[in-house]
Amino acid sequence: MIDESELNALVAQAQEAGAIYESYNQSGDQQILEQAVRLWLPVLKHPLLSSLPGPYRAAVYNDSGLVFYTHYQVGGHFDSLDLATTLFEQAEQLTRDTHRRRASVLNNLSAALQARAVRLNAIDDLERSITVSQESLNIIPADASERGSYLTNLTGGLYERYHRTGLVDDLNAAINASQTAIQFTTKEEMSYVPRSNNLAVLYHERYGRLGDLKDLYSSIESHRQVVEARKAASSEQSAYLNNLGGALNDLYRRTNDLKNLEEAIEVLRQATSLAPLAMPNRAGFLNNLGNALCMHYLHTRSLPSLQESIACQREAATSSMESPNYRASFLTGLGTSLSEYFQRTGETSSSNEAVEACEQALALTPTTSPKYASRLNNLARVLRDRYQRTGQGDDLSRGQSFYRQACQSGFRTQSEVVVVAGYNWGMWALQRSAWSEAVEAFECASQSANDLFQRQALRVDRAMWLQEAQKLPALAAYALAKISELTRAVVTLENGRVRLLSASLEIERQELERLKEDAHPQLYERFVSSVEQIGQLERQEIQDVNFADQEQLAATVERARIELADVIRVHL
């Protein structure tokens, strides 16, 4: 026979544990969270728990699961995550005849499965998380306020799967889910900031994949708004600062503006200092700071920046709290910094460690990952650096092979990586007088640079990629000339010039086409007349004319070009 007083005491203890957790939610005090964990453990082990009605037990499992899930998020306690997942699964089994309550439980289960998938690199957990999340969205009404929370979980699952499959469809679906989640969230709600942060992260990720600078600018603007909205020091704020720093770091890569890099370092230092030592994401913050410091060294040649970079990345790479996917990023960063240190000091052990780190990073990266091409390029680069200094073993053939694989893989996933890998590979080939190899490399880079140019929506962004592409045809033509393929060299150089001129004029044409619409018909007519005159004069250049005529023709062409430049200057 059940002891009613003992059963009532169990219920009271569960209610007390719930109240303590609510107090934690209000204060954020981790000691209060630890108290809630301690109170829930005996409730879950109590022999009379199974005597409680099904709906009440479901509530106990769900509420306690939230506590242990939070305990993992805050302190990285994997046992708590595993227990939370089990508790949500038990709650799900007890809510199969209900609807709104079941949707809530499914949403919590999806979040826990997703976290475990990331921690253990468990694809089965990830797929189940997405399925469970979609089921929860199918249960609740289309206009339900909690829909934003469920869409946020689905966003996370799709994003993690994208990291494993490299499918742009998953990334775009994650962005769509994130945008819809924000539509269900008012700016006054606590969840508005983290959901805005999620969208900013996704924009940044798509920039890395497709190279559209519009996505990078959108990401930075959103990250700044998020950081401004959460000025109080907290582990949450450290994550937001880290994301802003990473985006600024990439902006520096594109602009080479040291101010962007210095701001990124300042922001990333704040992120690292605010992150608790036990925070699962802290290793990622250290890695990002290390990457920024390494770039600072490359820009300024400040050895202390490089030494600090290595220290940060070594600590990140040795962290036991991160999944293989993230550890691969940390090893890549460490390998890059160690290789730079080897170039600076000649310390062979640093080069060997750099190669080993990049080899491990590549081994941890699935071939379907959008990061695979980048990891191939990094390994090729450190092998190149060691070969140039030591001539060691098979570094030459391996470096060539990995550069070639990076270009082939990057056409599918990372065009920007192909531009970098192709250029670096080509310059290395030129140093070795490997002319045919250089042609192959520069042609790969040129094709990807042109692809990236076509993807840009804004004039300033197209101009930036145009500048990136303009050096490549000349380098390829030089290598072709060295192997006596003079006709092909001329064609390559001229095709490159034509593409660049066409692209440049297309940028201006898109701006100047609006002259008629903006009530500037006379200015537009000047533009059209100047372009036509230049075309006529340049066609005359290929005709047989005497020396005096050539001088006069050149002067006339120059005047026409000045007229065209003046039209563009007046408009722009």
Side-chain angles (χ1 to χ4, degrees), residues 267-336:
V267 166
L268 290 167
R269 286 194 194 282
Q270 293 177 46
T272 305
S273 64
L274 287 176
L277 292 177
M279 186 177 182
N281 293 337
R282 185 173 181 274
F285 303 171
L286 283 165
N287 181 64
N288 287 342
L289 175 58
N291 288 338
L293 288 164
C294 183
M295 282 189 282
H296 188 263
Y297 162 75
L298 292 172
H299 194 116
T300 65
R301 310 308 292 178
S302 169
L303 188 58
S305 291
L306 183 59
Q307 291 169 326
E308 185 182 357
S309 168
I310 293 171
C312 289
Q313 289 165 327
R314 198 184 298 282
E315 182 178 350
T318 55
S319 170
S320 62
M321 299 180 66
E322 289 293 346
S323 72
N325 287 329
Y326 292 108
R327 188 165 183 268
S329 294
F330 307 161
L331 287 164
T332 297
L334 176 61
T336 299

Side-chain angles (χ1 to χ4, degrees), residues 50-285:
S50 60
S51 303
L52 294 174
Y56 193 90
R57 273 188 293 139
V60 167
Y61 292 141
N62 186 61
D63 292 350
S64 59
L66 285 171
V67 173
F68 289 102
Y69 177 65
T70 304
H71 194 234
Y72 166 73
Q73 285 185 306
V74 172
H77 306 283
F78 181 74
D79 288 348
S80 292
L81 175 60
D82 220 22
L83 177 56
T85 307
T86 300
L87 291 168
F88 290 140
E89 287 173 331
Q90 290 174 321
E92 184 269 335
Q93 293 172 6
L94 292 169
T95 56
R96 292 183 177 176
D97 296 329
T98 61
H99 295 285
R100 294 290 281 270
R101 180 180 296 176
R102 175 171 174 76
S104 175
V105 170
L106 287 170
N107 184 56
N108 293 336
L109 175 58
S110 172
L113 286 167
Q114 188 183 130
R116 192 167 69 179
V118 171
R119 180 69 179 265
L120 301 179
N121 197 29
I123 189 64
D124 290 344
D125 275 347
L126 182 57
E127 292 292 347
R128 189 175 166 213
S129 169
I130 293 171
T131 300
V132 168
S133 182
Q134 290 169 332
E135 183 182 349
S136 70
L137 285 164
N138 291 335
I139 292 175
I140 61 172
D143 60 349
S145 60
E146 61 265 37
R147 198 169 183 83
S149 172
Y150 299 178
L151 283 162
T152 299
N153 268 348
L154 177 60
T155 297
L158 291 167
Y159 181 46
E160 286 299 330
R161 189 166 69 183
Y162 162 74
H163 273 292
R164 287 159 175 76
T165 65
L167 295 175
V168 176
D169 286 347
D170 275 340
L171 180 56
N172 287 332
I175 289 174
N176 290 336
S178 181
Q179 290 170 333
T180 308
I182 291 176
Q183 292 173 8
F184 279 89
T185 316
T186 65
K187 291 186 177 181
E188 291 72 29
E189 292 182 54
M190 291 290 292
S191 57
Y192 183 81
V193 168
R195 288 174 190 173
S196 297
N197 177 70
N198 291 342
L199 182 58
V201 168
L202 292 167
Y203 281 138
H204 189 187
E205 184 70 37
R206 191 164 65 181
Y207 161 74
R209 176 63 182 270
L210 301 179
D212 189 341
L213 285 161
K214 182 177 66 176
D215 280 334
L216 182 57
Y217 297 143
S218 296
S219 173
I220 291 172
E221 181 181 1
S222 297
H223 280 315
R224 288 195 191 281
Q225 292 172 357
V226 167
V227 168
E228 184 65 22
R230 282 286 185 271
K231 290 185 176 180
S234 66
S235 58
E236 194 176 60
Q237 178 72 334
S238 68
Y240 300 153
L241 287 163
N242 173 71
N243 292 337
L244 173 59
L248 288 167
N249 211 0
D250 276 350
L251 183 61
Y252 164 75
R253 292 175 191 268
R254 288 261 48 84
T255 65
N256 203 38
D257 187 339
L258 188 59
K259 290 187 296 184
N260 293 327
L261 180 58
E262 289 174 341
E263 184 185 1
I265 291 172
E266 179 184 353
V267 166
L268 290 167
R269 286 194 194 282
Q270 293 177 46
T272 305
S273 64
L274 287 176
L277 292 177
M279 186 177 182
N281 293 337
R282 185 173 181 274
F285 303 171

